[in-house]
Amino acid sequence: MKISEIKVLVTCPGRNFVTVKIVTDAGVYGLGDATINGREQAVIACLNEHVVPCLIDRDPQDIEDIWQYLYRGVYWRRGPIGMAAIAAIDMALWDIKGKIAGLPVYQLLGGRSRKSVTLYAHANGETIDETLENAAALMDQGFKAIRLQSAIPGLPVTYGVLGEQKDYFELQGNRPLPPEEEWSTKKYYKLVVELFKKAREKFGPDVHLLHDVHSRLTPIEAARLSKLLEPYDLMFLEDACIAENQDSFKLVRNHTVTPLAIGETFNSIWDCKELIQNQWIDYIRAAATHAGGITGLRRIIDFAAIHDVKSAPHGAPDLSPICFAAHMHLDSWAPNFGIQEYSGAVNEQTAKIFKHAHEVNDGTAFVSDAPGLGVDFDEEAAAEYPYKRSYLPVSRLEDGTMWHW
Ligand code: EZ4
Ligand code: CO
């Protein structure tokens, strides 16, 4: 069997998605997600110019060798662009292997460890009361784990809360340029502690509550917040601070028993080796699209398993349904699966392009038994929504200092 063609397709049904389609001479094709929010064209160029020409006429069944060829065989290893390119090729090859075998990918990984995949949903609000109302509505839909984010009084825009704006495109205006947001740790502490206090008063001890700091704190600030939140028993606190220096988490860890999670921007096991082997975190949140595909993420999850760290893959709306499917297969298999992030159903346009039979019901995802990843891509429908340049926001402290968004 040979790879005869690889298409790199970009579409914007509300958000940009980069999709790789590997076509074989046997008529079977596979799909992978290569989306990096705000850097889509860099991945497209990397694939078209540097990766695709090397793979034509190769045997698509050699997943491991192709992964090593694109990773070890390239002098300039790692990095988000290169690893997203590898990821999309890798997912598409697993999709092909499943279709050839007539098996869903979770069977190829070793079979299921559980019947279904527990999800955590997002409740966002302009006020604490609004956030809690939205959380109550999600609980009515059956969700047993909910991430709470609330706007911070005194700051015009906050991560997770877009206010009047519908989406990031609207926030960027017509230029588009990265929108700027302001950050104040002092104002945040007060809000977030109040949010979780009220949430526990309203919902009691049983529901799992989570929160995403989105890397806004320094390590010692992160330690303080983790301690302040201890009485409210979070399932985990996400991205409490940046971990480029992995030692930062040692500091946070030594001050708190609030479980810690991180990893959505990680590209390889080397970004989290110390975090995992020292047991400074409890959940690793790496995504298949950004950490070298199913092959890359599976290796991270296996390494995490022997250190009592659970998987909790990123589930943002800027990962395509192909990545979400890859995660559901990994989630179904992983003995150390923790929870899957779920940011809600995709819009109608996206559902028209990415077709699948995976189901979400009662706060739980049920992976379909279709061979491969179980997602199809409608190229004609995708062509109706051309790429739109878009940026994520940037963040500054109140005195103007550039900060982590
Ligand atoms: O802001 O994926 O937990 N989820 C997140 C995401 C990220 C986006 C950035 O592109 O933090 O919503
Ligand atoms: Co996050």
Side-chain angles (χ1 to χ4, degrees):
M1 189 180 288
K2 281 184 177 176
I3 294 174
S4 43
E5 188 190 3
I6 302 180
K7 295 186 193 180
V8 183
L9 303 149
V10 60
T11 179
C12 186
R15 286 192 180 250
N16 290 312
F17 294 115
V18 180
T19 302
V20 163
K21 181 173 186 174
I22 300 185
V23 184
T24 67
D25 61 357
V28 184
Y29 62 87
L31 298 165
D33 178 30
T35 309
I36 295 185
N37 199 351
R39 290 293 183 271
E40 298 87 352
Q41 296 293 351
V43 191
I44 293 170
C46 177
L47 280 161
N48 281 330
E49 183 63 24
H50 306 298
V51 173
V52 170
C54 304
L55 301 183
I56 301 301
D57 286 341
R58 295 198 44 161
D59 188 339
Q61 296 172 104
D62 297 343
I63 299 179
E64 189 62 50
D65 187 62
I66 290 175
W67 198 95
Q68 298 294 340
Y69 182 82
L70 295 174
Y71 181 85
R72 193 177 287 188
V74 174
Y75 190 52
W76 315 104
R77 295 184 189 198
R78 298 162 64 188
I81 306 300
M83 291 308 284
I86 293 179
I89 298 291
D90 182 79
M91 279 184 223
L93 295 179
W94 279 96
D95 194 21
I96 289 171
K97 197 177 277 298
K99 286 174 179 168
I100 297 169
L103 293 170
V105 166
Y106 72 78
Q107 292 290 13
L108 306 180
L109 293 168
R112 282 206 288 214
S113 297
R114 58 195 53 78
K115 287 190 266 294
S116 62
V117 173
T118 305
L119 306 169
Y120 72 90
H122 292 181
N124 307 323
E126 283 288 301
T127 61
I128 290 177
D129 285 345
E130 195 191 338
T131 301
L132 298 185
E133 277 165 32
N134 291 338
L138 289 165
M139 289 164 72
D140 288 344
Q141 290 169 39
F143 287 96
K144 290 163 194 71
I146 300 171
R147 189 188 85 166
L148 306 177
Q149 308 290 139
S150 203
I152 301 169
L155 298 181
V157 194
T158 314
Y159 166 74
V161 185
L162 286 168
E164 299 293 294
Q165 276 89 16
K166 282 201 304 294
D167 56 31
Y168 286 129
F169 283 110
E170 207 166 313
L171 205 64
Q172 291 166 74
N174 295 323
R175 292 178 284 172
L177 286 173
E180 303 225 347
E181 298 178 357
E182 210 173 56
W183 181 253
S184 157
T185 295
K186 268 236 170 318
K187 289 172 182 156
Y188 169 66
Y189 276 156
K190 194 167 173 296
L191 175 277
V192 78
V193 172
E194 189 68 10
L195 172 63
F196 281 88
K197 185 168 177 281
K198 286 201 167 154
R200 280 296 172 214
E201 280 166 11
K202 185 172 166 123
F203 301 128
D206 289 345
V207 62
H208 292 294
L209 299 178
L210 307 91
H211 180 67
D212 189 353
V213 180
H214 222 264
S215 313
R216 299 293 198 281
L217 301 178
T218 65
I220 196 67
E221 289 170 351
R224 179 170 163 76
L225 181 69
S226 310
K227 249 179 121 151
L228 289 171
L229 291 176
E230 274 174 11
Y232 313 113
D233 187 23
L234 269 64
M235 181 174 201
F236 63 65
L237 187 66
E238 176 186 336
D239 287 355
C241 63
I242 290 285
E244 282 169 330
N245 174 5
Q246 296 182 41
D247 283 341
S248 298
F249 266 71
K250 181 181 183 180
L251 189 152
V252 183
R253 186 62 148 187
N254 285 342
H255 285 288
T256 186
V257 293
T258 292
L260 303 170
I262 191 166
E264 65 186 43
T265 64
F266 292 176
N267 309 137
S268 82
I269 201 156
W270 301 106
D271 292 329
C272 45
K273 177 173 163 280
E274 282 87 28
L275 294 174
I276 291 172
Q277 77 184 13
N278 292 307
Q279 301 184 304
W280 291 336
I281 59 170
D282 301 278
Y283 294 85
I284 181 70
R285 303 200 60 260
T289 300
H290 300 134
I294 291 171
T295 300
L297 185 52
R298 181 187 56 175
R299 240 162 232 145
I300 294 174
I301 293 172
D302 264 338
F303 183 63
I306 58 170
H307 296 93
D308 281 315
V309 174
K310 292 181 178 180
S311 64
H314 192 200
D318 47 49
L319 294 161
S320 91
I322 299 169
C323 177
F324 195 72
H327 286 170
M328 282 193 289
H329 287 282
L330 284 159
D331 298 341
S332 299
W333 152 74
N336 56 326
F337 169 67
I339 196 158
Q340 172 64 55
E341 183 180 25
Y342 175 67
S343 39
V346 299
N347 67 19
E348 227 177 276
Q349 300 93 294
T350 306
K352 236 175 57 191
I353 297 168
F354 297 91
K355 293 176 179 146
H356 60 81
H358 302 298
E359 273 175 44
V360 171
N361 236 319
D362 222 17
T364 308
F366 296 86
V367 64
S368 104
D369 268 331
L373 291 172
V375 182
D376 211 349
F377 184 81
D378 184 330
E379 289 182 53
E380 262 174 48
E384 285 174 39
Y385 305 100
Y387 165 78
K388 289 206 285 186
R389 185 152 58 92
S390 160
Y391 292 97
L392 283 166
V394 298
S395 178
R396 291 185 190 275
L397 301 180
E398 287 169 300
D399 72 354
T401 307
M402 198 66 216
W403 198 236
H404 315 294
W405 181 73

